[in-house]
Amino acid sequence: MTAAESGGSTAETDLEATIEARLVSLDSGNYRANNRLVLDAFKKYLEDQRGVTTLEDLEVIDCRRYAQHLRERVHDDDDPLSAASAHANGPYFTIVRAFLGWCVDDERIDSNPARPNRVKEPLPEHHGDHDRQFWSAEAREALLEFVGERAHDALDESADDRERTFRDRALVTMLALTGARGAELFADPRDEYRNGLRWSDVDLEKGIATVFGKTRERQPIPLTDRVVETLERYRTVLDPATGDWPVFPTRHHASLAKAAKEGLEAQGWSAEDIEAALAVSTSMEILRDHGIAPPALSKNGTRSLMKRLCDAADVDIDGEYLKPHGGRRGLGSDLYARDAELAQELLRHESIETTHQSYREQNVVERRKRLEDILGE
């Protein structure tokens, strides 16, 4: 019996209100944002194409038609959707099915109309992420060499130039040599818990950094001597006022000025005094002098920075800039070729099977080499 049939409120079956209730139940800001995007699109499709606005009106055929709609979008040049997003285990269908499963658990509907097999039959097949980028060892070293030379050349430049180039070198080094995800190092405005790696999270003596992992738990990652040396030099140049400072602060002037203003206001400064301080000092100087943490560089800001660095260094992979997550994949690929278990530990996969799956193509290449060696004996 549905909520409406049992005398429940309209809000319990209204699609828009139900979606809002589902979003409130989610803890992760990033996952919540992805759910909102997908569920709002699902609601709009149901309203515009099927005339469905409430849960009690939603039927299995509506979900099957939505699956067909997703398949059509994969081949739509004006509104394309990747097969990886649309297929049965992709985020679009998975989020809708999970939402309707939650509605069952919350006793808003009796059964999940997206559960029957005939619903997902129309969805496109997905045969793997062949377009996933891996930083090659050559591209990785070329970019590391470039940012290293820039940092060395900036030693005789202004303090601002030194800070910028040393930050960029440390950022590329962390992406290239730690296996960390971008979401673990940089801020995500959609997730309140991802506000960037802080200096208090980094122990250079032990060679360890602690990140907020994909599991939404704090996890330690190892820092090699090369990473530690780069971070030590960068910290000396940056001179963070407190351990709460992000390792990679933004250099966006408006964001720094806003942080300085709000920080001084919190310390009891008047508007006139704040204006006078900003007139004679840079925002970063005020933040440092008064122990106010600047905002961290965002994931989007990092992508823009990597594009600029790769353009300047004339480094690319198949015509594209070196994407942040490609550093993790590239390092994992190099490790996997030598020690699959070490790759699993560094990448923090829950099982070795996940690591094998991530590098299944490379695994086949390695088996081919071994087979050639055996047949050639």
Side-chain angles (χ1 to χ4, degrees):
M1 181 180 295
T2 65
E5 292 170 337
S6 62
S9 67
T10 304
E12 289 181 312
T13 59
D14 177 77
L15 266 176
E16 184 171 357
T18 304
I19 288 173
E20 289 301 320
R22 167 60 171 165
L23 296 174
V24 169
S25 74
L26 300 175
D27 293 329
S28 167
N30 195 36
Y31 185 54
R32 188 188 308 120
N34 290 337
N35 268 257
R36 180 177 292 281
L37 174 69
V38 172
L39 294 178
D40 281 350
F42 179 57
K43 177 174 71 71
K44 187 176 189 305
Y45 169 81
L46 291 176
E47 291 175 352
D48 295 347
Q49 304 298 324
R50 308 291 296 170
V52 174
T53 59
T54 63
L55 287 173
E56 61 259 36
D57 291 336
L58 183 61
E59 299 179 358
V60 171
I61 190 60
D62 298 310
C63 294
R64 181 178 170 86
R65 292 290 181 263
Y66 181 66
Q68 293 169 341
H69 166 69
L70 292 179
R71 184 185 183 92
E72 292 170 357
R73 279 195 58 190
V74 171
H75 305 288
D76 187 345
D77 292 335
D78 295 327
D79 185 24
L81 186 69
S82 72
S85 295
H87 80 120
N89 294 318
Y92 271 70
F93 188 74
T94 299
I95 286 175
V96 167
R97 186 170 54 193
F99 161 65
L100 294 173
W102 176 85
C103 290
V104 173
D105 294 339
D106 210 43
E107 299 184 1
R108 295 170 185 257
I109 52 178
D110 290 331
S111 61
N112 187 337
R115 180 61 61 184
N117 287 331
R118 68 187 178 96
V119 171
K120 60 185 180 181
E121 283 175 357
L123 291 168
E125 294 183 359
H126 177 53
H127 302 288
D129 297 320
H130 299 295
D131 61 344
R132 293 191 307 168
Q133 186 190 86
F134 293 71
W135 290 14
S136 66
E138 294 77 15
R140 178 172 63 228
E141 289 303 322
L143 187 58
L144 285 169
E145 181 178 356
F146 173 77
V147 293
E149 289 177 353
R150 284 175 76 242
H152 181 270
D153 293 343
L155 289 173
D156 296 326
E157 302 296 331
S158 67
D160 186 66
D161 285 338
R162 286 198 303 275
E163 184 179 310
R164 172 174 51 83
T165 56
F166 274 65
R167 183 203 65 171
D168 294 351
R169 179 174 66 174
L171 182 150
V172 172
T173 302
M174 287 286 284
L175 288 175
L177 302 178
T178 67
R181 301 175 177 87
E184 297 169 341
L185 301 179
F186 314 112
D188 184 346
R190 300 178 302 175
D191 191 331
E192 60 184 315
Y193 294 101
R194 297 198 180 281
N195 59 355
L197 185 71
R198 304 281 150 166
W199 283 106
S200 58
D201 299 323
V202 180
D203 189 331
L204 294 178
E205 290 187 6
K206 293 182 179 179
I208 295 174
T210 303
V211 300
F212 188 60
K214 186 177 182 179
T215 61
R216 305 196 70 77
E217 298 175 338
R218 291 177 61 77
Q219 301 172 327
I221 62 172
L223 308 177
T224 63
D225 289 345
R226 186 174 182 182
V227 176
V228 168
E229 181 182 4
T230 300
L231 287 174
E232 284 178 337
R233 293 183 178 182
Y234 168 49
R235 186 171 64 177
T236 299
V237 171
L238 179 64
D239 187 26
T242 68
D244 190 46
W245 268 44
V247 175
F248 303 110
T250 183
R251 293 179 60 82
H252 184 250
H253 294 300
S255 298
L256 293 174
K258 180 181 178 182
K261 181 177 182 294
E262 291 178 350
L264 292 177
E265 286 177 345
Q267 294 181 6
W269 284 50
S270 67
E272 293 77 12
D273 289 341
I274 292 174
E275 184 177 352
L278 288 171
V280 297
S281 301
T282 66
S283 298
M284 187 61 83
E285 288 172 343
I286 291 175
L287 294 171
R288 184 176 286 108
D289 291 344
H290 296 278
I292 304 168
L297 182 67
S298 69
K299 291 196 302 180
N300 284 339
T302 301
R303 285 190 281 267
S304 297
L305 173 61
M306 290 297 296
K307 289 178 182 178
R308 295 195 298 272
L309 290 174
C310 289
D311 284 344
D314 195 22
V315 175
D316 68 84
I317 294 179
D318 297 330
E320 290 190 313
Y321 79 101
L322 274 61
K323 300 176 183 179
H325 203 67
R328 171 182 165 85
R329 293 191 185 117
L331 181 62
S333 178
D334 290 346
L335 291 177
Y336 185 82
R338 301 190 178 196
D339 189 332
E341 291 186 357
L342 177 59
Q344 177 201 347
E345 292 173 0
L346 182 77
L347 299 176
R348 289 164 283 131
H349 288 158
E350 292 188 4
S351 69
I352 192 66
E353 286 75 20
T354 301
T355 310
H356 289 319
Q357 180 70 11
S358 298
Y359 298 100
R360 59 189 180 277
E361 184 174 332
Q362 179 173 322
N363 202 9
V364 173
V365 171
E366 291 300 317
R367 289 201 301 268
R368 177 185 180 278
K369 291 179 181 178
R370 289 164 57 191
L371 179 61
E372 289 282 4
D373 292 340
I374 293 173
L375 293 177
E377 290 179 354

